[in-house]
Amino acid sequence: MKLSVSVRTAAAGAVATATLLAGGTASAGAAPAPAQRAAAAPDIPVANVKAHLSRLQSIATANGGNRAHGRPGYQASLTYLKDQLDAAGFTTRVQQFTASGRTGYNLVADWPGGDSEHVLMVGAHLDGVTSGPAINDNGSGSAAVLETALAVARTGYQPSSHLRFAWWGAEELGLVGSRYYVAQLSSADRSRIDGYLNFDMIGSPNPGYFVYDDDPVIEKTFKDYFAGIGVPTEIETEGDGRSDHASFKNAGVPVGGLFTGASRTKTTAQARKWGGTAGRAFDRCYHSSCDTTANIDDTALNRNSDAIAHTVWELSQ
Ligand code: DTR
Ligand code: ZN
Ligand code: ZN
């Protein structure tokens, strides 16, 4: 499956429509279709994303202090998201699996409509470690993906691609939930997935702005967004194989994603371009009990949430 992009410019002005073509090839010499103005993604209210994080924090507090695989806090987190998605009109399903002797769950939410032969998937792992509420890792990605899905519903967005959102269980045990999901797909269903976008730690308190360097079309879409808001980015080099995009990449699906950093230390050069504190980890609370709602940089969460929406709209038109 190869992603390719055809960019058409409208006769009236340089409005380019980026169309994600998966596998298809435009027939040579065909008259360009009339350009349509690309629908612009809505702003994602960071207050809404933070409200989801507060709920996830409360869920952890009420369930032994964590949202880990096989624990009550994970189930309660999944129920919170599923209720929101059901109310917004998504078709949701909970996929069950076993890991380390405990039952795990993936939450998959399809937005009705779009071409079922061309699916764009957007995901984040919903589980955390047992040591704390896991708000940056990975409440941040889960909440931003949820709010992007809710924005699709709020705006009544009807893209040409079919949109599928997913929240994975047991990522911290070794990408178990996403591996299970991919393994359960028929080869036909796997080939219908044009791309998978992964968001795992996107609100780190001493943030960097990293873009996965996997599929070039997806990477460019993210990098162009950040360039458009004047934020320099770097290629993500730490995460290969360390989050759920690997489950899809290993199956030949084009992948991409964003990351704001974990336990590695921000350099002086990085602090110069991004601000924050050189010589300090991007997230000092990575996998620790202090990964709470206080462990989030609102600007990074806001920028990445808007980048997610922009890229979903851009790649699904
Ligand atoms: N979020 C971490 C996995 C991880 C560590 N570095 C990266 C870089 C890019 C994506 C993910 C990661 C975890 O779930 O433990
Ligand atoms: Zn983790
Ligand atoms: Zn993570």
Side-chain angles (χ1 to χ4, degrees), residues 17-286:
T17 302
T19 304
L20 180 68
L21 300 178
T25 50
S27 49
Q36 299 132 9
R37 190 170 293 280
D43 173 71
I44 299 299
V46 71
N48 292 7
V49 182
K50 286 174 65 69
H52 298 315
L53 293 182
S54 296
R55 289 294 300 270
L56 293 176
Q57 174 78 59
S58 301
I59 285 168
T61 302
N63 289 281
N66 68 68
R67 301 184 305 100
H69 162 71
R71 311 299 176 88
Y74 180 78
Q75 183 66 60
S77 299
L78 186 146
T79 300
Y80 168 66
L81 269 69
K82 184 177 185 298
D83 289 350
Q84 302 259 331
L85 292 157
D86 287 339
F90 283 83
T91 304
T92 61
R93 69 186 173 97
V94 177
Q95 182 184 46
Q96 192 171 310
F97 60 89
T98 301
S100 301
R102 294 174 186 252
T103 303
Y105 306 92
N106 294 323
L107 174 61
V108 181
D110 284 276
W111 179 240
D115 182 354
S116 58
E117 293 301 312
H118 290 284
V119 180
L120 180 64
M121 283 196 72
V122 190
H125 73 86
L126 181 59
D127 70 307
V129 292
T130 55
S131 55
I135 297 304
N136 187 36
D137 183 20
N138 187 39
S140 63
S142 295
V145 170
L146 172 63
E147 193 56 29
T148 298
L150 296 178
V152 166
R154 271 196 303 270
T155 58
Y157 182 43
Q158 282 301 331
S160 57
S161 298
H162 176 79
L163 293 179
R164 180 174 300 151
F165 298 85
W167 292 265
W168 308 116
E171 183 270 355
E172 299 289 5
L173 280 73
L175 321 182
V176 178
S178 58
R179 287 182 199 272
Y180 181 81
Y181 173 82
V182 172
Q184 293 302 306
L185 290 171
S186 65
S187 57
D189 279 339
R190 192 168 53 240
S191 66
R192 293 185 174 103
I193 302 173
D194 288 346
Y196 170 72
L197 311 181
N198 191 64
F199 304 100
D200 184 354
M201 300 180 74
I202 61 166
S204 304
N206 187 26
Y209 292 88
F210 299 97
V211 178
Y212 294 14
D213 62 338
D214 291 292
D215 178 77
V217 171
I218 300 173
E219 177 187 342
K220 183 178 189 316
T221 308
F222 280 127
K223 287 169 77 169
D224 288 351
Y225 175 78
F226 279 104
I229 60 170
V231 175
T233 54
E234 289 187 9
I235 291 305
E236 162 45 47
T237 56
E238 181 192 343
D240 280 354
R242 294 186 62 176
S243 192
D244 297 298
H245 58 300
S247 303
F248 289 83
K249 184 176 182 180
N250 293 341
V253 174
V255 302
L258 300 173
F259 175 63
T260 48
S263 48
R264 277 188 185 170
T265 302
K266 182 180 279 185
T267 67
T268 304
Q270 289 172 327
R272 257 193 230 111
K273 66 178 162 183
W274 288 328
T277 307
R280 177 182 294 178
F282 295 103
D283 180 353
R284 289 190 291 185
C285 291
Y286 174 59

